[in-house]
Amino acid sequence: QCVLWKDNACCTANTSLEAHQDQSYLYNFNWDHCGAMPEKCKRHFIQDTCLYECSPNLGPWIDQADSSWRKERIRDVPLCQEECEQWWEDCQDAVTCKVNWHKGWNWTTG
């Protein structure tokens, strides 16, 4: 999923490899935290991770974050309507245990 940035990336090949792991050291996060995430859905989240980690063009969308685990985040990046609709189509039957993935996690158990 990171191939889009292979010729002009702000990440290493190892970062790309880790973005594709279900349990990655990048964020100490497992895509399957509420049961198996369908592969067709997971690919969108992996590509989103690749965008965040690898794109050299995110400057206009960097926002300061008041979080203990990161100092900045990417917000309001334009998304093509077709991509948005495909993401919804591929993930509409998937489940998560969180209302908001950006805050409120209990990391004490790892």
Side-chain angles (χ1 to χ4, degrees):
Q1 295 299 319
C2 298
V3 74
L4 296 173
W5 297 276
K6 73 180 178 75
D7 294 330
N8 188 18
C10 292
C11 67
T12 65
N14 190 54
T15 298
S16 173
L17 178 66
E18 284 296 319
H20 291 78
Q21 305 301 313
D22 285 339
Q23 180 67 50
S24 171
Y25 80 86
L26 290 176
Y27 306 111
N28 193 25
F29 185 79
N30 191 318
W31 297 121
D32 298 326
H33 65 278
C34 290
M37 182 183 285
E39 290 300 319
K40 66 182 183 178
C41 177
K42 192 180 299 183
R43 72 180 185 86
H44 295 281
F45 288 95
I46 292 170
Q47 189 162 47
D48 180 65
T49 299
C50 293
L51 170 73
Y52 181 80
E53 293 291 340
C54 301
S55 176
N57 303 310
L58 289 175
W61 298 282
I62 294 175
D63 189 30
Q64 298 306 307
D66 185 19
S67 172
S68 62
W69 60 281
R70 69 176 174 185
K71 301 298 179 215
E72 60 188 28
R73 67 186 232 182
I74 308 304
R75 294 187 57 165
D76 302 322
V77 176
L79 183 64
C80 294
Q81 180 176 342
E82 295 82 11
E83 174 63 18
C84 185
E85 289 172 353
Q86 189 63 57
W87 197 335
W88 166 254
E89 185 69 29
D90 291 345
C91 296
Q92 66 180 336
D93 297 323
V95 296
T96 182
C97 304
K98 287 285 289 159
V99 172
N100 184 341
W101 281 19
H102 291 286
K103 60 183 178 180
W105 289 97
N106 178 354
W107 296 103
T108 59
T109 63

